Amino acid sequence: MRPARPLYPPAPTPYPDPIMSDTPAYQVLARKYRPQTFADLIGQEAMVRTLKNAFAADRIAHAFVMTGVRGVGKTTTARIIAKGLNCVGPDGTGGPTTEPCGVCEPCRAIAEGRHVDVLEMDAASRTGVGDIREIIDSVHYRAASARFKVYIIDEVHMLSTAAFNALLKTLEEPPAHVKFIFATTEIRKVPVTVLSRCQRFDLKRIEPEVMMAHLASVAAKEGATLATDALALITRAAEGSVRDAMSLMDQAIAHGAGETSATQVRAMLGLADRGRTLDLFDLIMKGDAATALAELSGQYADGADPMAVLRDLAEITHWISVIKINPASAEDPTTPPDEQTRGVDMAAHLPMRALTRMWQMLLKAVEEVALAPNAMMAAEWR
């Protein structure tokens, strides 16, 4: 007699739940090494000095606006200020400080984004008067458990004109227990009536040598090995943004499986070899069109993006022009010594009018290649 078939198929073996797993989820480097105190912030010494003096003299403004390019620490600084305002110290008796302990309940709650009195709002998704009215209605109530109520509004330039106008009166005369901290990448879009009510801090791009030292420190903590020229390539690609640099290094560590060379980083970023790009630039400036086309084809065959090659040529043109005017600028920590020597030599032999013409031609070439159906053909034609 055949056995009876089950009414229902057997339940599939469940996948392990990452939330219930004992193994902690991987955290990207940009979040794992996010600064928690002013001492951890890099490259923003002027702002840190001003805030430390303000806290020490008990001259803390009621509103701040942080501006700068992406990834330089605007929102991070806002959270550190919020922690400093509400830190009570390990023993629960501390006051406002620029060195939050990180262990008291307010510090931990703010770091984890769960403090009821520190409210973060993304103005990119909440742009209207109704969203600001919620803030205006709530500022009159004292903080539930913290010393100050802190409102952090990210991308504040996205607020509508009516929303800005609704906020003006409260921003000018807020209750003593309320602090506002704004962050924006587009400071020109913020009305001057709002800026005049805030202390403004311009966060600058991180200098290359500072960035490279920071990346090397993080790589050492992660047990990864990156060549110095690989760090230089990442630093150059990040354009002064710490978050961009950390994200690129995270990707580079995975790409190199622990040991990452400059060649691997170039491949990851789709860049041509810098030395070969200098060779191509030299051939173009000498008028050797046939060899230059062969070199461009060789780089394309090796995986270089034609648009990236043209941008690299434009960067080299600008770099050599600057060296021609100021030879000391060749001493760039992100540039290897042999490339510095070649740059100085080219600057000595190339007239400025040729470099200017090359710059104009490359600007036109980048524009045309971006629109062309075949980027390689357009690059060869230019």
Side-chain angles (χ1 to χ4, degrees), residues 41 91-92 99 151 172 176 203 238 242 245 299 322 334 368:
L41 277 175
D91 57 358
E99 298 178 357
Y151 295 90
E172 184 173 9
L203 280 69
V242 181
Q299 292 188 23
V322 172
T334 64
E368 290 187 4

Side-chain angles (χ1 to χ4, degrees), residues 69-84:
V69 299
R70 68 195 185 280
V72 291
K74 299 181 296 296
T75 308
T76 295
T77 301
R79 291 177 182 173
I80 294 174
I81 293 174
K83 286 197 293 184

Side-chain angles (χ1 to χ4, degrees), residues 196-281:
S196 66
R197 290 163 167 81
C198 305
Q199 279 193 5
R200 171 175 167 177
F201 293 100
D202 291 80
L203 280 69
K204 61 182 182 179
R205 296 178 188 269
I206 311 304
E207 294 294 329
E209 53 271 17
V210 176
M211 183 79 82
M212 289 178 66
H214 179 64
L215 293 179
S217 173
V218 171
K221 292 175 184 176
E222 289 292 304
T225 303
L226 283 87
T228 303
D229 47 356
L231 291 176
L233 285 172
I234 292 172
T235 300
R236 189 181 298 144
E239 298 180 341
S241 167
V242 181
R243 184 173 59 233
D244 285 13
M246 296 286 274
S247 298
L248 289 172
M249 188 172 73
D250 212 346
Q251 184 179 352
I253 291 172
H255 186 81
E259 294 186 10
T260 310
S261 66
T263 303
Q264 291 171 318
V265 172
R266 282 195 191 93
M268 181 189 80
L269 297 175
L271 301 175
D273 181 88
R274 178 83 169 183
R276 293 184 66 179
T277 307
L278 282 168
D279 293 339
L280 178 59
F281 179 85

Side-chain angles (χ1 to χ4, degrees), residues 8-273:
Y8 300 100
T13 304
Y15 292 104
D17 187 348
I19 298 178
M20 302 300 293
S21 174
D22 293 334
T23 304
Y26 175 71
Q27 200 170 34
V28 296
L29 297 183
R31 292 185 60 192
K32 184 176 180 180
Y33 293 97
R34 191 170 198 164
Q36 298 300 318
T37 65
F38 286 118
D40 298 333
L41 277 175
I42 62 171
Q44 310 298 344
E45 290 78 10
M47 179 195 68
V48 171
R49 187 186 313 114
T50 303
L51 288 173
K52 282 187 175 182
N53 292 341
F55 272 73
D58 195 22
R59 299 176 64 88
I60 307 170
H62 64 268
F64 303 92
V65 57
M66 310 289 169
T67 180
V69 299
R70 68 195 185 280
V72 291
K74 299 181 296 296
T75 308
T76 295
T77 301
R79 291 177 182 173
I80 294 174
I81 293 174
K83 286 197 293 184
L85 289 169
N86 291 312
C87 179
V88 297
D91 57 358
T93 60
T97 176
T98 56
E99 298 178 357
C101 65
V103 297
C104 65
E105 176 55 27
C107 282
R108 289 189 288 109
I110 293 170
E112 295 168 8
R114 57 179 175 82
H115 201 295
V116 68
D117 294 318
V118 177
L119 305 162
E120 287 194 36
M121 185 180 104
D122 177 22
S125 58
R126 304 185 65 183
T127 63
V129 176
D131 302 307
I132 295 301
R133 188 178 293 119
E134 292 179 16
I135 294 176
I136 295 171
D137 292 341
S138 66
V139 296
H140 302 291
Y141 300 99
R142 293 194 63 85
S145 61
R147 188 180 295 114
F148 292 98
K149 258 188 174 181
V150 182
Y151 295 90
I152 300 173
I153 304 182
D154 203 3
E155 302 300 338
V156 70
H157 65 274
M158 300 292 286
L159 288 177
S160 66
T161 302
F164 274 124
N165 291 335
L167 186 61
L168 287 179
K169 185 62 178 176
T170 302
L171 187 60
E172 184 173 9
E173 298 176 352
H177 61 272
V178 171
K179 304 290 184 185
F180 288 97
I181 309 176
F182 304 139
T184 178
T185 54
E186 301 283 349
I187 193 67
R188 290 182 178 85
K189 295 182 180 179
V190 180
V192 67
T193 49
V194 172
L195 295 178
S196 66
R197 290 163 167 81
C198 305
Q199 279 193 5
R200 171 175 167 177
F201 293 100
D202 291 80
L203 280 69
K204 61 182 182 179
R205 296 178 188 269
I206 311 304
E207 294 294 329
E209 53 271 17
V210 176
M211 183 79 82
M212 289 178 66
H214 179 64
L215 293 179
S217 173
V218 171
K221 292 175 184 176
E222 289 292 304
T225 303
L226 283 87
T228 303
D229 47 356
L231 291 176
L233 285 172
I234 292 172
T235 300
R236 189 181 298 144
E239 298 180 341
S241 167
V242 181
R243 184 173 59 233
D244 285 13
M246 296 286 274
S247 298
L248 289 172
M249 188 172 73
D250 212 346
Q251 184 179 352
I253 291 172
H255 186 81
E259 294 186 10
T260 310
S261 66
T263 303
Q264 291 171 318
V265 172
R266 282 195 191 93
M268 181 189 80
L269 297 175
L271 301 175
D273 181 88

